[in-house]
């Protein structure tokens, strides 16, 4: 290649690089004001000129004879002189170009913020828009958990391979800015030994003259007004609808969601500002890696005026503040900026689009024992007076604290809670478990201790159920234990279950695994190994929790039902009806045509009330069981069976079900127990004892199918338990 040519190329490349860097700098300085002052009128035509020059530039760099671009067809003989001219031109109005380009970017941003996307191509040889490419790139970075440094390196690498010039941002920051990713957090770094804030980028504290990494913690506080207003804007309709339900009091007895309960009701009578959202504060910590003690602590909140299925979505949980450090957070340092700003937000409110003013209340605090202990400045869960609600002292015996049952416990009152905390703060000592005041006294709108919530996951699942299961497991002889573990390991569940059951031998169980065990597996798998009374007692516990769940879901269910999808069979099979005698004989009975192959069409799967059901003919079901169902008939009997296949016949969809007859009532198992009478009312709607082999075929219209069941195989019978279709959403 010609020396002059390669020199020219180098210069051009350098210049482009230079230009992009200054462009970023300038765009920061540029204000929207001068854009509004009329620059926009001539920026766009100029930008077009610029684009043409770009085309020429890239022409030089790629040395191609012919090119086709979005701007039109160019057919230019390659000529060094004209190329040099173009470079010269570029040089002359370089600054101008930069500015017009900046303005162009600004307009771009402005327009895209109004949802009128300007699709600028990534470079002139493609019709992939910059936006699309950046979106995919950012998604890829996030999916691969690439750190910032490597992301920037990757960006540079990709950039170096693209035709120059192009519109790809050159750094991660400019990429984020391009994608309108707002920086919502203010960062600060604190030194844990002197408790002062230090420079965020600093690696040592000047006061303590130490650079021990473990004594610093990073704190991230979010911009509260922005996040609260965004979430209200996004869900203003849902909030209004659910609020109506809450106010109507019609659902009070059938719904146990928090906003239908006593405390929320009494709170409603005291609210001063309107309109408002009320929130529940969550506090928890998770370790970030396994080699150090680096931990992330998260203060977040969820909105009670959102219906539960929206409230629990990750995007609707608002992060208030984060603490990243190798030590447990010191609440006074961590939240010393968060709580005052939240307090300010409470009194000033926040504006949403359209200027309406909303207010926020903080109703409760939820978390596990270590988190709440920190938040409330209370003694830990194994100390004396460790209960947040009552003043049980506890005794020390057998190397641990024991809290014996008290017939009439002395409860902590609102007044005693506050005064004793104050006293502890002043004296600097432990007063009935209080170690001092806490920020949450200021921020919570329902006074302590009423605003402390016990959560189902930690108490019922991770503590109570786990202890019960372990106790039972220990009491069983080792040979039987391994049988149970085997059963747990291979127990089948519907395909919608992400987690199933885990052998108890294998140690730690997740909350969702314990939930599956408690609701479905515990009784059928364990009851034969227990004394009747013990088993019956556990059965009562299982029933109580399942009733509780059912209550919780009534309102939710109504909402899910409203958005019904297409119902019916799908996934057509290659099975020939001529091989299925049952179907042939059925057709002969109900239809007089002789075109069976077109009259009846067979499918693998079907959708009923938003729930996908498989069939035994479905080849890809692997180790899941979504084909065993509870169904009914015209006499309203409760029946069970396995779907062999589903088929359509004259505009209706039916399922061919292999019926398993009832053996006897499940409550008969507990006949000799003293709990039998109180148990039989409920247990027989949750568990059914069936014969081990199916006996007859039923042809069931699919709207008669009610639930998917979990099947537990026993020696000469099976136990099935129907799953309410909404359990899995929890
Ligand atoms: Zn320090
Ligand atoms: Zn207590
Ligand atoms: Zn027919």
């Amino acid at each position: 290649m010609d020396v002059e040519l390669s020199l020219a190329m180098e210069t051009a490349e350098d210049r482009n690089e230079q230009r992009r860097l200054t462009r970023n700098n300038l765009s920061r300085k540029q204000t929207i004001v001068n854009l509004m002052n009329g620059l926009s009128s001539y920026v766009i035509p100029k930008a077009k000129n610029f684009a043409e020059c770009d085309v020429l530039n890239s022409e030089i760099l790629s040395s191609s004879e012919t090119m086709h671009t979005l701007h039109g067809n160019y057919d230019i003989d390659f000529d060094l002189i004209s190329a040099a001219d173009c470079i010269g031109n570029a040089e002359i109005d370089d600054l101008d170009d930069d500015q017009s380009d900046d303005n162009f970017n600004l307009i771009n941003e402005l327009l895209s913020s109004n949802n009128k996307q300007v699709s600028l191509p990534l470079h002139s040889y493609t019709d992939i828009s910059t936006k699309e490419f950046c979106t995919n790139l950012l998604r890829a970075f996030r999916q691969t958990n690439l750190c910032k440094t490597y992301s920037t390196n990757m960006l540079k690498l990709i950039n170096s391979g693209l035709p120059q010039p192009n519109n790809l941002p050159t750094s991660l920051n400019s990429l984020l800015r391009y994608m309108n990713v707002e920086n919502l957090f203010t960062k600060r770094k604190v030194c844990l030994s002197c408790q002062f804030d230090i420079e965020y980028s600093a690696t040592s504290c000047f006061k303590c003259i130490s650079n021990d990494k473990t004594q610093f913690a990073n704190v991230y506080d979010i911009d509260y007004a922005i996040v609260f207003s965004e979430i209200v804007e996004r869900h203003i309709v849902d909030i209004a609808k659910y609020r109506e339900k809450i106010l109507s009091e019609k659902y009070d007895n059938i719904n146990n969601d928090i906003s239908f309960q006593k405390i929320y009701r009494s709170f409603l009578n005291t609210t001063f500002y309107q309109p408002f959202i009320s929130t529940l504060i969550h506090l928890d910590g998770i370790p970030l890696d396994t080699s150090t003690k680096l931990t992330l602590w998260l203060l977040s909140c969820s909105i009670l005026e959102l219906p539960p299925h929206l409230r629990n979505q990750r995007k609707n949980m608002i992060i208030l503040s984060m603490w990243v450090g190798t030590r447990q957070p010191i609440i006074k340092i961590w939240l010393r900026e968060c709580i005052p700003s939240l307090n300010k937000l409470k009194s000033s409110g926040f504006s949403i689009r359209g200027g309406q003013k909303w207010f926020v209340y903080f109703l409760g605090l939820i978390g596990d024992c270590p988190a709440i202990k920190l938040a409330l400045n209370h003694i830990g869960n194994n100390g004396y007076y460790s209960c947040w609600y009552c003043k049980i002292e506890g005794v020390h015996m057998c190397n641990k604290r024991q809290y014996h049952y008290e017939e009439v416990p002395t409860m902590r009152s609102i007044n005693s809670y506050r005064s004793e905390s104050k006293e502890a703060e002043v004296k600097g000592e432990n007063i009935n478990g209080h170690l001092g005041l806490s920020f949450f006294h200021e921020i919570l709108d329902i006074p302590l201790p009423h605003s402390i919530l016990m959560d189902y996951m930690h108490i019922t699942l991770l503590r109570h159920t786990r202890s019960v299961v372990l106790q039972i497991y220990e009491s069983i002889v080792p040979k039987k234990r391994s049988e149970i573990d085997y059963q747990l390991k291979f127990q089948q569940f519907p395909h919608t279950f992400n987690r199933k059951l885990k052998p108890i031998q294998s140690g730690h169980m997740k909350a969702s695994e314990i939930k599956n065990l408690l609701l479905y597996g515990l009784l059928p798998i364990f009851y034969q190994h227990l004394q009747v009374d013990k088993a019956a007692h556990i059965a009562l516990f299982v029933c109580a929790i399942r009733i509780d769940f059912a209550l919780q879901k009534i309102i939710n269910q109504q909402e899910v039902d409203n958005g019904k999808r297409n119902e019916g069979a799908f996934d057509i099979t290659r099975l020939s009806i001529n091989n299925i005698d049952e179907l042939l004989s059925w057709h002969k009975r109900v239809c007089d045509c002789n075109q069976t192959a077109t009259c009846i069409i067979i499918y693998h799967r079907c959708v009923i009330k938003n729930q996908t059901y498989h069939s035994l003919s479905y080849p890809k079901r692997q180790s899941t069981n979504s084909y065993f169902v509870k169904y009914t008939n015209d006499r309203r009997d409760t029946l069970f069976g396995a779907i062999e296949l589903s088929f359509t016949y004259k505009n209706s969809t039916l399922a061919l079900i292999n019926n398993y007859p009832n053996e006897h009532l499940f409550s008969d198992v507990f006949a000799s127990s003293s709990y039998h009478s109180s148990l039989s009312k409920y247990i027989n709607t949750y568990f059914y004892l069936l014969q081990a082999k199916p006996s007859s075929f039923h042809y069931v219209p699919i709207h008669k199918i009610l639930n998917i069941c979990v099947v537990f195989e026993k020696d000469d019978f099976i136990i099935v338990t129907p799953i309410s279709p909404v359990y899995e959403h929890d």
Side-chain angles (χ1 to χ4, degrees):
M1 203 190 281
D2 198 314
V3 184
E4 274 181 76
L5 175 61
S6 59
L7 271 176
M9 281 168 69
E10 258 177 44
T11 335
E13 228 166 323
D14 282 347
R15 202 182 307 281
N16 267 319
E17 184 60 28
Q18 200 62 43
R19 186 154 58 188
R20 229 176 308 104
L21 290 176
T22 45
R23 190 164 68 196
N24 278 342
N25 274 332
L26 277 166
S27 79
R28 260 176 239 125
K29 292 175 199 152
Q30 200 81 25
T31 59
I32 291 190
V33 179
N34 65 20
L35 175 75
M36 290 308 176
N37 283 345
L39 274 171
S40 51
S41 53
Y42 63 91
V43 162
I44 293 174
K46 233 190 181 170
K48 263 188 198 152
N49 289 338
F50 178 60
E52 265 171 37
C53 192
D54 275 354
V55 169
L56 284 173
N57 261 343
S58 16
E59 176 87 359
I60 305 160
L61 294 171
S62 62
S63 315
S64 71
E65 294 281 333
T66 319
M67 60 179 287
H68 303 274
T69 68
L70 288 174
H71 309 286
N73 291 349
Y74 290 80
D75 192 358
I76 307 165
D77 287 339
F78 183 73
D79 186 338
L80 193 60
I81 297 166
S82 72
D85 273 352
C86 187
I87 293 172
N89 282 343
E91 213 167 347
I92 290 160
D93 45 34
D94 209 12
L95 197 73
D96 254 28
D97 276 348
D98 283 338
Q99 272 178 352
S100 58
D101 206 32
D102 284 334
N103 297 330
F104 197 66
N105 279 346
L106 274 174
I107 292 178
N108 225 345
E109 270 172 33
L110 214 66
L111 287 179
S112 67
S113 70
N114 286 339
N115 284 335
K116 287 173 208 152
Q117 302 265 346
V118 177
S119 52
L120 218 62
L122 184 61
H123 55 82
S124 18
Y125 296 89
T126 181
D127 50 5
I128 297 177
S129 73
T130 313
K131 188 108 192 169
E132 187 188 340
F133 187 77
C134 288
T135 311
N136 291 338
L137 195 63
L138 206 58
R139 191 170 295 150
F141 283 166
R142 285 181 174 173
Q143 274 168 357
T144 49
N145 289 332
L146 213 56
C147 79
K148 276 187 178 169
T149 323
Y150 284 108
S151 301
T152 307
N153 288 348
M154 283 299 288
L155 259 177
K156 283 193 177 134
L157 185 68
I158 294 169
N159 214 328
S160 69
L162 287 179
Q164 305 287 341
N166 57 61
N167 293 312
L168 187 70
T170 42
S171 71
L172 192 64
N173 281 341
S174 51
L175 175 66
L176 291 175
R177 224 176 311 123
Y178 182 82
M179 296 303 297
N180 284 328
V181 177
E182 282 169 279
N183 194 3
L184 291 170
F185 287 95
T186 48
K187 308 181 267 192
R188 64 192 168 92
K189 192 178 221 154
V190 285
C191 167
L192 298 184
S193 53
C194 67
Q195 311 209 343
F196 279 102
D197 286 2
I198 58 174
E199 184 97 16
Y200 183 73
S201 53
T203 51
S204 60
C205 172
F206 295 119
K207 288 201 181 65
C208 317
I209 319 172
S210 154
N211 55 3
D212 178 14
K213 262 189 180 172
T214 57
Q215 67 156 332
F216 302 122
N218 291 340
V219 174
Y220 305 88
D221 291 318
I222 210 164
D223 190 324
Y224 306 106
I226 291 183
V227 286
F228 276 111
S229 63
E230 269 178 6
I231 205 160
V232 169
E233 278 167 22
R234 194 162 67 224
H235 286 297
I236 196 154
V237 179
D238 303 301
I239 291 175
K241 266 194 204 156
Y242 201 59
R243 147 110 12 98
E244 234 167 71
K245 272 188 181 155
I246 295 170
L247 292 178
S248 79
E249 298 188 8
K250 195 167 74 187
Y251 303 97
D252 278 21
N253 294 326
I254 54 164
N255 192 309
N256 63 358
D257 188 29
I258 187 164
S259 23
F260 293 84
Q261 305 303 307
K262 220 166 61 191
I263 289 189
Y264 186 86
R265 291 270 174 228
S266 56
F267 154 76
L268 275 187
N269 296 329
T270 64
T271 51
F272 182 66
Y273 298 113
Q274 289 279 359
F276 66 89
I277 49 171
S278 52
T279 61
L280 211 57
I281 300 179
H282 309 240
L283 182 69
D284 208 355
I286 38 160
L288 286 178
D289 66 22
T290 45
S291 53
T292 67
K293 284 182 179 167
L294 198 66
T295 317
L296 165 74
W297 280 78
L298 199 67
L299 186 77
S300 58
C301 68
S302 55
I303 295 173
L304 296 178
E305 280 77 16
L306 279 176
H309 70 277
L310 290 174
R311 187 189 304 156
N312 296 330
Q313 280 176 4
R314 189 164 53 182
K315 63 178 181 197
N316 292 333
M317 309 281 273
I318 301 174
I319 293 168
L320 299 173
S321 187
M322 291 190 280
W323 164 284
V324 179
T326 46
R327 294 195 209 159
Q328 243 189 7
I330 302 165
I331 297 285
K332 275 189 179 149
I333 304 178
W334 175 18
L335 300 179
R336 71 179 162 212
E337 282 176 23
C338 164
I339 299 286
S341 3
L342 283 177
N343 261 327
K344 222 172 103 194
L345 185 77
K346 268 172 68 174
S347 53
S348 66
F350 55 90
S351 309
I352 62 166
R353 215 177 293 165
Q356 195 183 20
K357 196 144 234 192
W358 279 66
F359 292 88
V360 59
Y361 289 97
F362 299 94
L363 296 197
L365 176 67
I366 197 166
D368 56 7
C369 285
I372 294 209
K373 164 204 126 181
L374 277 180
L376 297 180
N377 214 351
H378 204 271
I379 192 85
N381 58 307
N382 45 9
Y384 293 112
Y385 297 105
S386 66
C387 181
W388 312 308
Y389 305 103
C390 74
K391 292 184 183 169
I392 187 166
E393 184 181 356
V395 286
H396 193 83
M397 52 193 288
C398 309
N399 288 325
K400 68 191 270 197
R401 221 73 83 200
Q402 308 274 352
Y403 307 91
H404 293 301
Y405 176 70
E406 283 176 2
E407 198 80 45
V408 193
T410 329
M411 302 307 286
R412 296 180 195 274
S413 69
I414 295 171
N415 287 335
S416 80
Y417 199 98
R418 182 163 265 283
S419 62
E420 283 168 14
S421 302
K422 245 182 210 157
E423 193 184 336
E425 179 78 35
V426 175
K427 289 188 182 162
E429 57 188 48
N430 177 346
I431 307 287
N432 291 342
H434 299 281
L435 302 178
L437 284 168
S438 94
F439 279 133
F440 291 90
H441 275 115
E442 303 168 28
I443 189 121
L444 290 169
D445 290 285
I446 290 174
L448 292 164
H450 297 323
S451 41
I452 309 167
L453 274 91
M454 295 191 278
D455 79 307
Y456 149 80
M457 185 186 88
H458 282 107
I459 291 174
T460 311
L461 296 180
L462 291 175
R463 177 51 62 195
H464 190 71
T465 307
R466 181 153 64 192
S467 305
V468 167
V469 168
L470 288 179
Q471 281 263 329
I472 296 173
Y473 188 75
E474 295 292 315
S475 70
I476 295 170
V477 292
K479 187 168 162 280
K480 289 264 158 64
R481 276 189 225 166
S482 54
E483 274 174 35
I484 287 176
D485 277 339
Y486 182 84
Q487 233 177 321
L488 289 170
K489 192 172 176 188
F490 293 102
Q491 177 58 43
Q492 292 192 342
F493 277 97
H495 66 285
T496 46
F497 278 57
N498 295 324
R499 292 189 178 275
K500 299 174 179 177
L501 294 176
K502 225 177 182 180
I504 296 177
Q505 188 69 55
S506 68
H508 182 74
M509 278 188 283
K510 294 244 174 208
S512 53
E513 288 158 348
I514 299 182
K515 186 186 84 177
N516 290 342
L517 186 62
L518 173 65
L519 295 182
Y520 311 117
L522 188 60
L523 269 186
I525 292 177
F526 282 86
Y527 82 96
Q528 286 163 313
H529 305 288
L530 299 172
Q531 290 168 300
V532 163
D533 259 356
K534 229 185 209 175
H537 202 256
I538 289 170
L540 277 174
F541 177 47
V542 172
C543 285
I545 298 295
R546 285 189 77 156
I547 290 168
D548 195 51
F549 257 95
L551 271 177
Q552 213 176 85
K553 301 299 174 182
I554 288 177
I555 280 216
N556 246 346
Q557 183 57 50
Q558 290 169 341
E559 260 150 48
V560 174
D561 282 350
N562 287 340
K564 265 185 195 168
R565 264 206 312 246
N566 286 344
E567 305 244 311
F570 68 105
D571 194 359
I572 205 159
T573 70
R574 289 157 190 252
L575 295 173
S576 162
I577 185 166
N578 295 319
N579 297 333
I580 306 167
D581 296 335
E582 299 82 32
L583 220 47
L584 275 178
S585 60
W586 180 78
H587 179 256
K588 210 171 258 174
R589 279 205 307 278
V590 297
C591 183
D592 43 18
C593 81
N594 50 13
Q595 305 279 306
T596 40
T598 50
C599 186
I600 286 182
I601 299 166
I602 306 172
Y603 297 86
H604 284 311
R605 291 179 280 175
C606 60
V607 175
I608 307 159
K609 285 190 190 134
N610 278 337
Q611 168 81 55
T612 305
Y613 289 75
H614 294 169
S615 68
L616 282 166
S617 69
Y618 178 52
K620 292 182 200 155
R621 61 191 152 80
Q622 294 174 334
S623 64
T624 63
N625 179 342
S626 300
Y627 55 82
F628 203 99
V629 293
K630 173 181 162 190
Y631 61 101
T632 184
N633 56 14
D634 293 334
R635 292 191 306 277
R636 297 190 163 208
D637 298 328
T638 304
L639 301 164
F640 294 90
I643 303 179
E644 294 281 335
L645 45 87
S646 32
F647 61 94
T648 52
Y649 164 73
K650 286 189 180 166
N651 294 333
S652 58
T653 310
L654 295 97
L656 174 63
I657 294 182
N658 211 348
N659 176 257
Y660 285 69
N662 274 312
E663 175 93 0
H664 58 78
L665 290 176
F666 190 61
S667 61
D668 293 354
V669 168
F670 308 105
S672 61
S673 154
S674 52
Y675 301 112
H676 179 256
S677 58
S678 42
L679 198 54
S680 51
K681 189 171 153 197
Y682 304 104
I683 197 87
N684 292 329
T685 63
Y686 290 125
F687 293 94
Y688 297 84
L689 227 146
L690 310 177
Q691 290 175 16
K693 293 272 174 292
S695 63
S696 58
F697 284 102
H698 289 170
Y699 305 84
V700 185
I702 57 167
H703 66 267
K704 298 270 186 197
I705 294 177
L706 304 173
N707 306 95
I708 291 186
C709 298
V710 186
V711 183
F712 299 91
E713 283 172 30
K714 294 286 170 184
D715 292 338
D716 43 8
F717 57 90
I718 58 174
I719 297 173
V720 299
T721 178
I723 297 169
S724 152
V726 279
Y727 278 175
E728 77 223 36
H729 296 306
D730 200 51

